[in-house]
Amino acid sequence: VNDSLMRFFDRCAKFVALVEENDAAMCQVNAFKEGPEMAKVLEKVASALCLPVEELNADLVQVAFLTCSYELAVKNVTSPWCSLFTEEDAKVLEYLNDLKQYWKRGYGYDINSRSSCILFQDIFQHLNKAVEESKSSKPISSPLIVQVGHAETLQPLLALMGFFKDDEPLRANNYVRQTDRKFRSGQIVPYAANLVFVLYHCDQVKTSEEEYQVQMLLNEKLMSFHHLNETISTYADLKDYYKDILENCHFKEECELPKINITAVDEL
Protein backbone atom coordinates (compact mmCIF):
# COMPACT_ATOMS: atom_id res chain seq x y z
CA VAL A 1 0.00 0.00 0.00
CA ASN A 2 1.49 3.29 -1.11
CA ASP A 3 -0.97 6.12 -0.49
CA SER A 4 1.51 8.79 -1.53
CA LEU A 5 1.50 7.22 -4.99
CA MET A 6 -2.09 6.03 -5.42
CA ARG A 7 -3.80 8.72 -3.33
CA PHE A 8 -1.64 11.59 -4.52
CA PHE A 9 -4.71 13.85 -4.40
CA ASP A 10 -4.80 13.52 -0.60
CA ARG A 11 -1.12 14.43 -0.30
CA CYS A 12 -1.24 17.45 -2.60
CA ALA A 13 -1.75 20.49 -0.36
CA LYS A 14 -2.54 22.82 -3.27
CA PHE A 15 -5.26 20.53 -4.60
CA VAL A 16 -6.78 19.93 -1.17
CA ALA A 17 -6.90 23.62 -0.24
CA LEU A 18 -7.84 25.17 -3.58
CA VAL A 19 -10.09 22.48 -5.08
CA GLU A 20 -11.13 19.71 -2.68
CA GLU A 21 -12.04 21.99 0.23
CA ASN A 22 -12.82 25.13 -1.75
CA ASP A 23 -16.52 25.64 -2.52
CA ALA A 24 -15.70 28.36 -5.05
CA ALA A 25 -13.85 25.81 -7.19
CA MET A 26 -17.19 24.09 -7.89
CA CYS A 27 -18.92 27.26 -9.09
CA GLN A 28 -19.83 25.70 -12.46
CA VAL A 29 -21.36 22.66 -10.75
CA ASN A 30 -23.37 24.81 -8.37
CA ALA A 31 -24.53 27.07 -11.20
CA PHE A 32 -25.80 24.08 -13.19
CA LYS A 33 -27.73 22.86 -10.15
CA GLU A 34 -29.59 26.18 -10.20
CA GLY A 35 -29.89 26.35 -13.98
CA PRO A 36 -32.85 25.79 -16.34
CA GLU A 37 -32.03 22.17 -17.21
CA MET A 38 -32.02 21.06 -13.58
CA ALA A 39 -35.12 23.16 -12.85
CA LYS A 40 -37.08 21.13 -15.42
CA VAL A 41 -35.93 17.86 -13.85
CA LEU A 42 -36.86 19.10 -10.37
CA GLU A 43 -40.34 20.08 -11.54
CA LYS A 44 -40.99 16.69 -13.15
CA VAL A 45 -39.73 14.73 -10.14
CA ALA A 46 -41.73 16.89 -7.72
CA SER A 47 -44.84 16.34 -9.81
CA ALA A 48 -44.29 12.57 -9.91
CA LEU A 49 -43.86 12.47 -6.13
CA CYS A 50 -46.74 14.88 -5.52
CA LEU A 51 -44.44 17.22 -3.63
CA PRO A 52 -44.00 20.98 -3.76
CA VAL A 53 -40.93 21.67 -5.88
CA GLU A 54 -39.56 23.79 -3.03
CA GLU A 55 -39.07 20.62 -0.98
CA LEU A 56 -36.60 19.22 -3.51
CA ASN A 57 -33.15 20.29 -4.62
CA ALA A 58 -30.57 19.06 -7.10
CA ASP A 59 -28.68 17.02 -4.50
CA LEU A 60 -31.76 15.06 -3.42
CA VAL A 61 -32.73 14.35 -7.01
CA GLN A 62 -29.19 13.22 -7.77
CA VAL A 63 -29.34 10.78 -4.83
CA ALA A 64 -32.53 9.28 -6.27
CA PHE A 65 -30.90 8.97 -9.69
CA LEU A 66 -27.77 7.35 -8.25
CA THR A 67 -29.91 4.89 -6.28
CA CYS A 68 -31.57 3.95 -9.56
CA SER A 69 -28.25 3.56 -11.37
CA TYR A 70 -26.54 1.63 -8.55
CA GLU A 71 -29.32 -0.95 -8.32
CA LEU A 72 -29.31 -1.36 -12.08
CA ALA A 73 -25.53 -1.77 -12.22
CA VAL A 74 -25.00 -3.89 -9.12
CA LYS A 75 -28.20 -5.96 -8.91
CA ASN A 76 -29.41 -5.69 -12.51
CA VAL A 77 -32.85 -4.65 -11.25
CA THR A 78 -34.89 -1.62 -12.18
CA SER A 79 -35.35 0.37 -9.00
CA PRO A 80 -38.66 2.14 -8.40
CA TRP A 81 -36.60 5.34 -8.33
CA CYS A 82 -35.88 4.88 -12.04
CA SER A 83 -39.52 5.55 -12.83
CA LEU A 84 -39.00 9.19 -11.86
CA PHE A 85 -36.63 9.87 -14.75
CA THR A 86 -36.83 10.05 -18.52
CA GLU A 87 -33.81 9.54 -20.76
CA GLU A 88 -33.48 13.31 -21.12
CA ASP A 89 -33.50 13.68 -17.33
CA ALA A 90 -30.75 11.08 -17.13
CA LYS A 91 -28.64 13.05 -19.62
CA VAL A 92 -29.00 16.19 -17.51
CA LEU A 93 -28.00 14.34 -14.34
CA GLU A 94 -25.11 12.67 -16.16
CA TYR A 95 -23.88 16.12 -17.17
CA LEU A 96 -24.13 17.31 -13.57
CA ASN A 97 -21.84 14.48 -12.49
CA ASP A 98 -19.49 15.06 -15.43
CA LEU A 99 -19.22 18.73 -14.46
CA LYS A 100 -18.15 17.73 -10.96
CA GLN A 101 -15.56 15.25 -12.25
CA TYR A 102 -14.29 17.73 -14.84
CA TRP A 103 -13.70 20.52 -12.34
CA LYS A 104 -12.55 18.32 -9.46
CA ARG A 105 -10.59 15.52 -11.17
CA GLY A 106 -10.22 16.49 -14.80
CA TYR A 107 -9.32 19.48 -16.93
CA GLY A 108 -11.05 22.14 -14.83
CA TYR A 109 -7.86 23.13 -12.99
CA ASP A 110 -4.26 22.27 -13.88
CA ILE A 111 -3.46 21.03 -10.38
CA ASN A 112 -6.05 18.24 -10.76
CA SER A 113 -3.93 16.46 -13.34
CA ARG A 114 -0.48 17.83 -12.45
CA SER A 115 -0.76 16.23 -9.02
CA SER A 116 -0.80 12.81 -10.72
CA CYS A 117 2.64 13.19 -12.32
CA ILE A 118 4.17 11.23 -9.43
CA LEU A 119 2.18 8.18 -10.55
CA PHE A 120 2.82 8.83 -14.26
CA GLN A 121 6.56 8.96 -13.66
CA ASP A 122 6.44 5.81 -11.54
CA ILE A 123 4.80 3.91 -14.42
CA PHE A 124 7.59 4.94 -16.79
CA GLN A 125 10.27 4.07 -14.24
CA HIS A 126 8.95 0.51 -14.20
CA LEU A 127 8.85 0.43 -18.01
CA ASN A 128 12.40 1.81 -18.19
CA LYS A 129 13.62 -0.88 -15.83
CA ALA A 130 12.01 -3.62 -17.93
CA VAL A 131 13.65 -2.24 -21.09
CA GLU A 132 17.07 -2.05 -19.41
CA GLU A 133 16.80 -5.61 -18.11
CA SER A 134 15.68 -6.85 -21.52
CA LYS A 135 18.59 -5.12 -23.28
CA SER A 136 20.98 -6.72 -20.78
CA SER A 137 19.40 -10.14 -21.43
CA LYS A 138 18.41 -10.34 -17.78
CA PRO A 139 15.12 -11.88 -16.58
CA ILE A 140 12.46 -9.23 -16.19
CA SER A 141 12.28 -8.76 -12.43
CA SER A 142 8.69 -7.48 -12.47
CA PRO A 143 6.89 -8.82 -15.56
CA LEU A 144 3.54 -7.71 -14.11
CA ILE A 145 2.93 -4.72 -11.85
CA VAL A 146 -0.53 -4.02 -10.44
CA GLN A 147 -1.40 -0.79 -8.66
CA VAL A 148 -4.88 -0.45 -7.14
CA GLY A 149 -6.56 2.89 -6.63
CA HIS A 150 -9.85 4.64 -7.31
CA ALA A 151 -11.57 6.61 -10.05
CA GLU A 152 -10.03 9.65 -8.32
CA THR A 153 -6.62 8.12 -9.09
CA LEU A 154 -7.29 7.27 -12.72
CA GLN A 155 -9.23 10.33 -13.91
CA PRO A 156 -6.44 12.88 -13.18
CA LEU A 157 -3.85 10.56 -14.75
CA LEU A 158 -5.83 10.32 -17.99
CA ALA A 159 -6.24 14.10 -18.00
CA LEU A 160 -2.49 14.51 -17.51
CA MET A 161 -1.99 12.41 -20.63
CA GLY A 162 -4.50 14.50 -22.58
CA PHE A 163 -7.23 11.92 -23.14
CA PHE A 164 -10.93 12.83 -23.49
CA LYS A 165 -10.25 16.55 -23.74
CA ASP A 166 -12.93 18.65 -25.41
CA ASP A 167 -12.23 21.81 -27.39
CA GLU A 168 -14.55 23.76 -25.08
CA PRO A 169 -14.50 23.39 -21.29
CA LEU A 170 -17.57 21.91 -19.62
CA ARG A 171 -19.55 24.76 -18.10
CA ALA A 172 -22.95 25.34 -16.54
CA ASN A 173 -24.18 27.24 -19.59
CA ASN A 174 -23.10 24.96 -22.46
CA TYR A 175 -25.03 21.75 -21.78
CA VAL A 176 -26.51 21.58 -25.28
CA ARG A 177 -23.17 22.26 -27.01
CA GLN A 178 -21.59 19.45 -24.98
CA THR A 179 -24.05 16.80 -26.19
CA ASP A 180 -21.27 14.99 -28.09
CA ARG A 181 -18.52 15.66 -25.54
CA LYS A 182 -15.59 13.31 -25.11
CA PHE A 183 -15.48 13.78 -21.33
CA ARG A 184 -18.03 11.28 -20.02
CA SER A 185 -16.90 10.06 -16.63
CA GLY A 186 -19.32 7.13 -16.62
CA GLN A 187 -17.55 5.72 -19.67
CA ILE A 188 -14.02 6.74 -18.68
CA VAL A 189 -14.07 5.48 -15.08
CA PRO A 190 -16.97 3.02 -14.68
CA TYR A 191 -17.02 0.31 -12.02
CA ALA A 192 -13.73 -1.64 -12.05
CA ALA A 193 -12.10 0.92 -14.36
CA ASN A 194 -8.57 -0.02 -15.33
CA LEU A 195 -5.67 1.33 -17.33
CA VAL A 196 -3.07 -1.08 -18.68
CA PHE A 197 0.32 -0.32 -20.23
CA VAL A 198 1.69 -3.25 -22.26
CA LEU A 199 5.38 -3.26 -23.22
CA TYR A 200 6.42 -5.43 -26.16
CA HIS A 201 9.88 -6.64 -27.11
CA CYS A 202 9.85 -7.01 -30.90
CA ASP A 203 12.63 -9.08 -32.52
CA GLN A 204 11.96 -8.60 -36.23
CA VAL A 205 12.22 -4.82 -36.66
CA LYS A 206 14.08 -2.52 -39.01
CA THR A 207 15.51 -0.09 -36.42
CA SER A 208 16.57 -0.35 -32.79
CA GLU A 209 13.94 2.23 -31.82
CA GLU A 210 11.20 -0.14 -32.97
CA GLU A 211 12.46 -2.93 -30.73
CA TYR A 212 10.35 -1.81 -27.76
CA GLN A 213 6.74 -0.82 -28.36
CA VAL A 214 3.80 0.05 -26.12
CA GLN A 215 0.05 -0.27 -26.16
CA MET A 216 -2.47 1.22 -23.72
CA LEU A 217 -5.84 -0.23 -22.86
CA LEU A 218 -8.54 1.58 -20.93
CA ASN A 219 -11.24 -0.73 -19.58
CA GLU A 220 -9.88 -3.50 -21.85
CA LYS A 221 -10.14 -1.34 -25.00
CA LEU A 222 -7.15 -0.16 -27.00
CA MET A 223 -6.44 3.57 -26.84
CA SER A 224 -5.08 5.64 -29.71
CA PHE A 225 -1.98 7.65 -28.86
CA HIS A 226 -2.22 11.38 -29.55
CA HIS A 227 1.12 11.70 -31.32
CA LEU A 228 0.33 8.97 -33.83
CA ASN A 229 -3.41 8.39 -33.88
CA GLU A 230 -2.42 4.73 -33.70
CA THR A 231 -2.93 2.10 -31.00
CA ILE A 232 0.76 1.19 -30.83
CA SER A 233 3.81 3.39 -30.38
CA THR A 234 7.51 2.83 -30.06
CA TYR A 235 8.52 3.29 -26.46
CA ALA A 236 11.06 5.92 -27.53
CA ASP A 237 8.41 8.01 -29.29
CA LEU A 238 6.04 7.75 -26.33
CA LYS A 239 8.70 8.94 -23.88
CA ASP A 240 9.61 11.78 -26.21
CA TYR A 241 5.96 12.89 -26.49
CA TYR A 242 5.61 13.03 -22.70
CA LYS A 243 9.15 14.32 -22.12
CA ASP A 244 8.01 17.52 -20.39
CA ILE A 245 5.89 15.68 -17.81
CA LEU A 246 8.55 13.05 -17.21
CA GLU A 247 11.32 15.60 -16.70
CA ASN A 248 9.65 18.78 -15.46
CA CYS A 249 6.66 17.80 -13.35
CA HIS A 250 7.77 17.64 -9.73
CA PHE A 251 5.11 16.64 -7.21
CA LYS A 252 6.48 18.64 -4.28
CA GLU A 253 6.77 21.88 -6.27
CA GLU A 254 3.46 21.39 -8.08
CA CYS A 255 1.59 20.80 -4.82
CA GLU A 256 3.07 23.56 -2.70
CA LEU A 257 0.56 26.16 -1.62
CA PRO A 258 1.36 29.68 -2.88
CA LYS A 259 3.26 31.64 -0.27
CA ILE A 260 1.70 34.98 -1.13
CA ASN A 261 -1.82 35.84 0.01
CA ILE A 262 -3.96 35.54 -3.12
CA THR A 263 -7.45 34.22 -3.68
CA ALA A 264 -8.02 30.60 -4.64
CA VAL A 265 -9.72 31.62 -7.87
CA ASP A 266 -6.73 33.72 -8.96
CA GLU A 267 -4.31 30.89 -8.21
CA LEU A 268 -6.38 28.29 -10.06
Side-chain angles (χ1 to χ4, degrees), residues 92-120:
V92 172
L93 288 158
E94 178 195 22
Y95 191 69
L96 175 60
N97 186 59
D98 286 348
L99 269 176
K100 179 181 177 182
Q101 297 304 319
Y102 184 89
W103 290 96
K104 202 166 192 176
R105 306 292 178 187
Y107 292 104
Y109 304 109
D110 284 345
I111 190 58
N112 298 351
S113 58
R114 297 290 287 184
S115 62
S116 73
C117 66
I118 186 173
L119 175 57
F120 184 74

Side-chain angles (χ1 to χ4, degrees), residues 165-222:
K165 186 174 185 179
D166 295 285
D167 294 334
E168 184 180 0
L170 274 64
R171 298 187 183 277
N173 62 359
N174 62 2
Y175 167 72
V176 174
R177 293 198 301 277
Q178 294 288 9
T179 299
D180 298 318
R181 65 190 178 279
K182 298 173 187 175
F183 193 91
R184 292 184 181 274
S185 57
Q187 295 176 15
I188 301 168
V189 284
Y191 292 128
N194 57 88
L195 179 66
V196 180
F197 289 78
V198 186
L199 178 68
Y200 295 94
H201 181 208
C202 308
D203 294 324
Q204 299 178 357
V205 291
K206 295 177 183 178
T207 66
S208 59
E209 279 200 347
E210 295 175 327
E211 189 175 354
Y212 295 95
Q213 302 191 31
V214 180
Q215 284 188 320
M216 277 179 56
L217 296 91
L218 178 64
N219 306 322
E220 296 91 57
K221 293 180 181 178
L222 283 169

Side-chain angles (χ1 to χ4, degrees), residues 99-158:
L99 269 176
K100 179 181 177 182
Q101 297 304 319
Y102 184 89
W103 290 96
K104 202 166 192 176
R105 306 292 178 187
Y107 292 104
Y109 304 109
D110 284 345
I111 190 58
N112 298 351
S113 58
R114 297 290 287 184
S115 62
S116 73
C117 66
I118 186 173
L119 175 57
F120 184 74
Q121 291 163 349
D122 182 77
I123 291 167
F124 276 79
Q125 286 168 11
H126 288 300
L127 292 171
N128 284 341
K129 185 178 180 182
V131 169
E132 290 167 7
E133 290 173 339
S134 174
K135 285 182 176 178
S136 304
S137 299
K138 296 178 182 178
I140 306 301
S141 56
S142 300
L144 174 66
I145 296 166
V146 179
Q147 302 275 26
V148 182
H150 295 277
E152 292 86 351
T153 309
L154 193 50
Q155 188 77 78
L157 181 65
L158 290 166

Side-chain angles (χ1 to χ4, degrees), residues 188-256:
I188 301 168
V189 284
Y191 292 128
N194 57 88
L195 179 66
V196 180
F197 289 78
V198 186
L199 178 68
Y200 295 94
H201 181 208
C202 308
D203 294 324
Q204 299 178 357
V205 291
K206 295 177 183 178
T207 66
S208 59
E209 279 200 347
E210 295 175 327
E211 189 175 354
Y212 295 95
Q213 302 191 31
V214 180
Q215 284 188 320
M216 277 179 56
L217 296 91
L218 178 64
N219 306 322
E220 296 91 57
K221 293 180 181 178
L222 283 169
M223 301 273 282
S224 291
F225 293 106
H226 297 300
H227 59 295
L228 296 170
N229 205 27
E230 300 282 347
T231 59
I232 194 161
S233 168
T234 66
Y235 185 50
D237 281 349
L238 187 65
K239 285 202 299 182
D240 186 62
Y241 182 73
Y242 289 115
K243 182 178 179 181
D244 181 62
I245 300 172
L246 291 170
E247 295 181 358
N248 301 315
C249 185
H250 305 288
F251 182 80
K252 184 178 178 181
E253 287 79 0
E254 297 284 349
C255 288
E256 275 184 343

